[in-house]
Amino acid sequence: YLMKNWFLLNLLISDAFGFSAISDNADLARNRLNDALKSLSGKLTLSPEIDIVEPRDPTALLLQRPAVNALSEQIRKVAKANAAWLSGTTSEIQTFCEEQEEARGRFPSPIPIIYCGEDQDEWKELANIGVCGVMVQCKISSLDDLESTELKKQSEQALALGLQPIPEIILEASTACTWTDESYMENLLSTLTSIIEQEPASIVLTIKDKDTNTEGTDGEESTPLPPVPESISDKIPVLGSVSVMAGGNRIGTESLRWKEAGYTGNVLRKTCLPPSFTQDISLVGRFWSSCIGELKSTKSKSFTFLTRNYMDKSKPVEWAKYQKSVIDSGALGSAEDNVSINADSGDYQGF
């Protein structure tokens, strides 16, 4: 009898400690996501969505692990992304997480990983390898539709594993147009909090415009974005999905629209990449490094200065005059000359 009670007592204690550890993991993940996805300085956070595709070529398959390591390092060091939204096999995501973990204690520090794939059976293993959160898709036409989604069930499952559920609210453009004031986002947060039984670690809003991933959208009118009040963005990160194809400064223009509407950051979706890049993760890493690096760069954008030169002749001014004379002579061709841009081969007029 005593032995039986002692066994039950130990079982209860171990369960209690196990539950406490999972709860601590969920809290730690929440803090990491909040720190990464919301900038204290008010700058827009930028995080890419990456589908780590398993190669079909046997040689490329052997080189996959070092390629994923290089991708992870590029996203952290070169792109300086705020987080990474990954899909792919568990082994490849684990390689990415392990490379990030090796950077702990160094600069740049590891970035949080959010799983945005569809395989919920992998959540337990993903939690064990260091993933912080999982994206939970909710396609709705009104807030009442949230009650009929899998959000509550999936959120409970994620939290039980120490993961943070991040709702992705998917709206048709026709619905987003009606969310014209801040009360809609306030009601959204209130509804999400009621369903999850705690405030979400973050919210992602995706607007399903027609053909946003094509190059022919420059002249079209963009869908108005639901505004986010400071009372929400001060508490949790609210992110907008950017899915326009790179080129012609489309990503930069779209990111600025989300920032002006009060969002704290952007998820840069994989549809931003040219189709020819998606099968080669080395190209994916280089693309996001260049893209996010350019979007975050402040060089030659806000730096101005005045100076006075007491020399008889300013060498920089004289050099500029010489350059202008060469340009005016037509030796370098006309600025109006048609330049062929081949997007499939990686040519872009800004991101």
Side-chain angles (χ1 to χ4, degrees), residues 167-346:
E168 180 190 17
I169 308 303
I170 304 173
L171 297 178
E172 294 291 339
S174 56
T175 302
C177 288
T178 64
W179 290 27
T180 53
D181 60 68
E182 296 178 346
S183 63
Y184 285 90
M185 294 302 290
E186 291 172 342
N187 293 335
L188 172 63
L189 177 59
S190 176
T191 305
L192 291 173
T193 303
S194 175
I195 293 173
I196 302 175
E197 298 182 358
Q198 66 174 40
E199 283 189 348
S202 177
I203 302 172
V204 178
L205 184 66
T206 299
I207 298 176
K208 301 297 289 184
D209 282 317
K210 292 182 179 179
D211 299 327
T212 52
N213 60 338
T214 64
E215 295 188 42
T217 59
D218 293 343
E220 297 180 10
E221 186 175 347
S222 300
T223 302
L225 303 175
V228 177
E230 287 187 10
S231 59
I232 293 179
S233 60
D234 285 345
K235 289 194 295 184
I236 65 169
V238 185
L239 313 177
S241 286
V242 172
S243 55
V244 294
M245 184 176 284
N249 198 35
R250 281 185 287 270
I251 296 179
T253 301
E254 189 68 5
S255 293
L256 182 60
R257 285 207 317 127
W258 288 98
K259 179 175 175 58
E260 291 174 344
Y263 292 76
T264 59
N266 286 137
V267 180
L268 305 177
R269 309 310 290 253
K270 58 186 179 183
T271 49
C272 295
L273 279 79
S276 59
F277 281 33
T278 56
Q279 299 301 314
D280 188 335
I281 61 174
S282 65
L283 292 178
V284 171
R286 287 160 57 189
F287 175 88
W288 286 125
S289 296
S290 299
C291 176
I292 298 175
E294 181 177 312
L295 293 174
K296 287 193 170 189
S297 174
T298 57
K299 292 179 181 178
S300 303
K301 294 177 182 177
S302 59
F303 180 71
T304 58
F305 64 93
L306 295 174
T307 184
R308 182 175 298 173
N309 195 320
Y310 292 99
M311 295 194 307
D312 292 337
K313 283 190 176 182
S314 170
K315 290 182 180 179
V317 171
E318 293 302 314
W319 175 246
K321 288 180 180 178
Y322 173 72
Q323 287 180 310
K324 186 176 185 304
S325 68
V326 174
I327 294 171
D328 292 344
S329 72
L332 302 179
S334 171
E336 286 75 27
D337 288 344
N338 183 33
V339 179
S340 177
I341 300 295
N342 186 350
D344 287 337
S345 67

Side-chain angles (χ1 to χ4, degrees), residues 145-164:
D145 294 342
L146 282 171
E147 297 289 349
S148 59
T149 65
E150 295 290 313
L151 177 61
K152 183 176 181 64
K153 178 182 176 182
Q154 293 181 9
S155 296
E156 289 175 350
Q157 180 184 349
L159 289 168
L161 295 170
L163 297 167
Q164 283 294 333

Side-chain angles (χ1 to χ4, degrees), residues 33-92:
L33 290 168
N34 186 74
D35 291 343
L37 300 176
K38 185 159 60 75
S39 170
L40 292 175
S41 64
K43 294 180 179 179
L44 201 67
T45 63
L46 300 170
S47 309
E49 176 190 18
I50 302 173
D51 183 14
I52 306 178
V53 179
E54 187 172 334
R56 298 175 182 176
D57 180 75
T59 304
L61 193 59
L62 291 173
L63 299 173
Q64 182 76 342
R65 183 177 178 83
V68 174
N69 271 322
L71 171 66
S72 175
E73 188 174 8
Q74 281 182 307
I75 296 301
R76 184 184 73 258
K77 281 187 172 182
V78 186
K80 294 181 173 61
N82 296 90
W85 303 72
L86 302 184
S87 57
T89 66
T90 305
S91 61
E92 288 163 339

